[in-house]
């Protein structure tokens, strides 16, 4: 915006009139100050820059005099020309940067003082020198690595890992790890040994976090790694073998499968809960959007696609699965431990382009083509780091034609009963739904895969999903990958990236997941999904296009998830109202005595539904007994847009409002409320 500045008025002397007025009381060195009415009496050579500057300091109004301006311009012509050229150069640069936009000058604004600049790193991948290991392990080579972070004494689970045939265990220590940590058959790298490796990423890593596993990933790649299994020091590998669950060989005679189940892509669905596929419908993984936890209907029809491109394979955990703090503290008594079992016979299922699921660092297998995806972000809390990595990696897999697949349980973890803090995961809960939508919409035209990785990391920092530090960290990570000899994958052929048509699938397959018993808000779930699905189909036919409005009087942080899971599978949507605002669960805040004020906003949000049902939280709806009820006598089933209209409260209100006594009724309601 161009704003004309107000001309500065002549300054006033302390306790006296403005300069430029004549007064005997305000004479300086016996000389009257100049005025606009009377010529200046001094005989001063105005060609002298010194005298001119002294005079103008005493009387800025001198610049308004024609003769002075002309003389000033003539004496400083060269300076004015240079200044004009500089201004012209700035104008040209603005126009070039904005590609000729005529509004560029009006929109140009100086950067805010507190604005943080997000620079784009410049990396020359062809100029990176190879980094040689000078440690005692410099000649050691292995194809398959188990990477585990250790923060205490050796665990029994790690002692069992070294017995897994064909795999080399690499333990990465932090500042809490005992200096004498030792397990026969495992390689241990202390912080001092890690520092001696010379990786660029070491400058970014904290000293007390599992994200230091990133050093171990690079070490394994440097020493011939073709497979990397991301493990947890408290997880026991079931059966003492990883080969029995995961697809170690993706092709050739050792490959275990030719086809792979895949979720069918659906419009407006960017995330799925894989726990449902493996028999647990009421459990959701850490990093799954809370807005979607009530969508527990199982998939029945899957696509079948060729196997061989599942570069990232996420395994599940029996016993204590990877869940968030909200689930952990809302599904059991504090004195009880979780013991959850997944269906070990369920077939692995892959995620199509456009669909993602949480991926952690507890039980995940990475093939060589996905080694770039091992980078753990450092600018976020460790409880968030691996989940962000998983979403970031899944989006980038699409650029090389890879997929992420979810596999049956391959480890067992015990619930250590340690507290799980919501604050540590808050950023994840606040942003994961937005992150999934952001990643699904993100595109890049960079010419190489590593450049696209850097492009996405920069875009995620700009969108606030992680910090600027992770942009530089990504650049250093990619350079370290090149320095240890890693070859970046080729980009997918142009045009194939968007191929999600049915012709790209071999066929479709019906698979009905089990419903394994588990604790659901204190109630045991049992039976098979086949029986449940029949009920769900009948209930959805009756309630499926109706919105439930539930007014909660009890503390919402203890009941929101329960209500959404109880009713969310039946109704089109569940809207929670409460006197306490809670953006985490999308609760609308309203006074208990003025609940009706929230209705217009809800009606506007769901204009295409058949109707609304309002309940208080102390009323339990026996929805299974209402299948034969006459819905027209329970609530209005007409389209909302046709059944109500907005009317003005003033003189210009609509005819309906003014002539049908509605206005008087509303006034009476207001008076009654006030009384």
């Amino acid at each position: 915006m161009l704003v004309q500045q107000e001309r500065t008025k002549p300054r006033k002397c302390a306790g006296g009139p403005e300069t430029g007025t004549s007064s005997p009381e305000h004479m300086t060195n016996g000389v009257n100050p100049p005025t606009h009415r009377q010529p200046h009496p001094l005989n001063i050579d105005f060609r002298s820059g010194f005298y001119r500057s002294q005079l103008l300091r005493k009387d800025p109004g001198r610049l308004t005099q024609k003769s002075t301006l002309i003389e000033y311009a003539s004496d400083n012509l060269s300076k004015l020309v240079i200044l004009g050229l500089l201004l012209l150069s700035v104008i040209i640069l603005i126009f070039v940067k904005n590609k000729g936009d005529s509004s560029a000058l009006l929109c140009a604004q100086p950067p805010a003082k507190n604005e943080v600049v997000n620079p784009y790193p410049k990396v020359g991948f062809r100029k990176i020198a190879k980094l040689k290991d000078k440690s005692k392990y410099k000649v050691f080579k292995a194809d398959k690595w188990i990477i585990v972070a250790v923060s205490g004494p050796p665990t029994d689970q790690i002692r069992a890992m070294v017995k897994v045939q064909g795999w080399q265990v690499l333990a990465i220590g932090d500042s809490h790890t005992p200096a004498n940590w030792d397990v026969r058959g495992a390689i241990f790298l202390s912080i001092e040994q890690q520092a001696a490796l010379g990786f660029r990423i070491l400058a970014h890593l904290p000293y007390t976090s599992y994200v230091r596993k990133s050093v171990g990933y690079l070490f394994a790649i440097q020493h011939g790694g073709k497979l990397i299994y991301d493990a947890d020091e408290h997880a026991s590998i079931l059966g003492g073998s990883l080969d029995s669950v995961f697809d170690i060989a993706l092709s050739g005679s050792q490959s275990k499968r030719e086809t792979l189940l895949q979720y069918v892509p659906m419009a407006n669905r960017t995330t799925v809960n894989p726990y449902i596929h493996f028999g647990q419908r009421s459990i959701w993984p850490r990093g799954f959007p809370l807005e979607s936890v009530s969508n527990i209907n199982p998939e029945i029809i899957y696509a079948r696609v060729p196997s061989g491109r599942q570069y990232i394979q996420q395994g599940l955990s029996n016993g204590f699965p990877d869940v968030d703090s909200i689930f952990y503290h809302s599904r059991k008594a504090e004195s009880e431990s979780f013991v959850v079992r997944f269906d070990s016979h369920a077939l692995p299922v892959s995620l199509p382009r456009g669909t993602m699921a949480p991926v952690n660092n507890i039980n995940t297998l990475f093939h060589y083509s996905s080694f770039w995806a091992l980078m753990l972000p450092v600018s976020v809390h460790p409880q968030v780091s691996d989940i962000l990595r998983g979403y970031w990696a899944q989006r980038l897999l699409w650029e090389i034609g890879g997929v992420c697949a979810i596999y049956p349980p391959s480890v067992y973890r015990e619930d250590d009963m340690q507290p799980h803090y919501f604050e540590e995961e808050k950023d994840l809960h606040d942003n994961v739904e937005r992150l999934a939508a952001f990643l699904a919409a993100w595109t890049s035209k960079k010419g190489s895969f590593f450049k696209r990785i850097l492009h996405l990391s920069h875009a995620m920092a700009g969108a606030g999903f992680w910090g600027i530090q992770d942009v530089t960290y990504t650049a250093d990570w990619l350079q370290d990958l090149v320095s240890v000899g890693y070859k970046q994958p080729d980009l997918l052929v142009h045009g194939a990236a968007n191929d999600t048509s049915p012709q790209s699938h071999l066929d479709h397959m019906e698979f009905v997941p089990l419903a394994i018993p588990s604790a659901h808000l204190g109630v045991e779930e049992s039976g098979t999904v086949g029986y449940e699905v029949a009920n769900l189909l009948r209930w959805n036919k009756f309630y499926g296009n109706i919105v439930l409005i539930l007014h909660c009087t009890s503390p919402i942080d203890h009941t929101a998830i329960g209500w959404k899971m109880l009713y969310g599978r039946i109704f089109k949507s569940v809207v929670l109202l409460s006197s306490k605002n809670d953006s985490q669960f999308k609760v609308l805040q309203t006074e208990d005595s003025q609940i009706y004020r929230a209705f217009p906003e809800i009606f506007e949000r769901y204009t295409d539904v058949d109707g609304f049902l309002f309940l208080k939280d102390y009323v339990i709806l026996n929805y299974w007994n209402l299948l034969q009820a006459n819905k027209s006598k329970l609530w209005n089933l007409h389209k909302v847009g046709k059944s109500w209209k907005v009317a003005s409260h003033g003189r210009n209100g609509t005819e309906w409002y003014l002539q049908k006594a509605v206005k008087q009724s509303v006034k009476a309601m207001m008076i009654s409320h006030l009384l």
Side-chain angles (χ1 to χ4, degrees), residues 210-251:
Y210 75 86
V211 300
R212 298 194 68 86
K213 291 168 78 173
S214 297
V215 176
Y217 306 145
L218 292 173
F219 183 90
I221 298 170
Q222 188 179 38
H223 291 266
K226 303 301 179 196
L227 287 167
I228 291 180
Y229 174 67
D230 214 359
D232 177 43
E233 64 177 327
H234 300 292
S236 300
I237 298 176
L238 296 177
S241 173
L242 295 173
D243 301 49
S244 60
V245 175
F246 293 109
D247 285 321
I248 304 300
L250 296 180
S251 60

Side-chain angles (χ1 to χ4, degrees), residues 108-130:
Q109 297 289 340
K113 293 182 179 179
N114 296 328
E115 181 179 350
V116 179
V117 180
N118 186 9
Y120 197 95
K122 296 181 179 179
V123 181
F125 291 109
R126 297 181 179 179
K127 301 179 181 179
I128 300 173
K130 186 175 181 179

Side-chain angles (χ1 to χ4, degrees), residues 131-146:
L131 183 63
K132 296 182 179 180
D133 182 13
K134 299 179 181 179
S135 69
K136 61 181 179 180
Y137 304 107
K138 58 184 177 181
V139 297
F140 187 88
K141 298 290 181 181
D143 292 334
K144 297 183 289 187
W145 292 77
I146 297 176

Side-chain angles (χ1 to χ4, degrees), residues 446-624:
K446 298 294 184 180
S448 70
F449 182 57
F450 273 9
K451 290 181 179 179
R452 292 191 184 183
I453 293 177
L454 193 57
H455 184 198
L456 179 56
S457 293
H458 185 268
M460 287 179 60
F465 296 113
W466 58 30
I468 298 174
Q469 181 185 4
D470 277 318
V471 181
T472 307
Y473 179 54
T474 302
D476 288 342
W477 165 259
L478 295 176
Q479 292 179 84
D480 282 337
L481 283 176
V482 175
S483 69
V484 296
Y486 180 71
K487 304 297 182 183
Q488 63 174 307
D490 295 328
L491 290 170
L492 194 65
V493 178
H494 179 71
N498 296 319
D499 185 10
T500 57
S501 61
Q503 290 79 6
S504 64
H505 304 143
L506 292 178
D507 54 23
H508 289 77
M509 177 178 176
E510 181 175 338
F511 174 80
V512 181
L514 296 177
I516 299 177
S518 65
H520 171 66
L521 300 175
V523 179
E524 290 292 325
E525 294 179 342
S526 61
T528 62
V529 173
Y531 173 78
E532 296 284 348
V533 167
N535 286 333
L536 286 174
L537 291 176
R538 288 190 297 161
W539 294 335
N540 279 323
K541 185 177 180 180
F542 190 88
Y543 301 99
N545 202 32
I546 295 171
V547 173
L548 175 65
I549 304 174
L550 186 65
H551 179 231
C552 299
T553 56
S554 57
I556 197 66
D557 54 340
H558 298 298
T559 59
I561 291 294
W563 292 125
K564 284 182 175 289
M565 295 194 67
L566 178 63
Y567 293 123
R569 71 183 81 181
I570 306 300
F571 293 92
K572 180 180 181 66
S573 184
V574 177
V575 179
L576 300 180
L577 304 179
S578 176
S579 59
K580 182 180 179 181
N581 183 36
D582 195 323
S583 59
Q584 180 61 47
F585 299 107
K586 296 188 176 180
V587 177
L588 295 181
Q589 184 177 12
T590 179
E591 297 294 334
D592 292 342
S593 59
Q594 300 181 10
I595 302 173
Y596 64 90
R597 290 181 176 271
F599 290 169
E601 179 183 346
I602 300 173
F603 296 160
E604 288 286 356
R605 187 189 305 175
Y606 302 98
T607 58
D608 59 342
V609 300
D610 292 335
F612 299 84
L613 175 63
F614 176 79
L615 288 178
K616 292 275 193 175
D617 61 351
Y618 48 75
V619 176
I620 301 297
L621 176 66
N622 295 331
Y623 47 81
W624 50 88

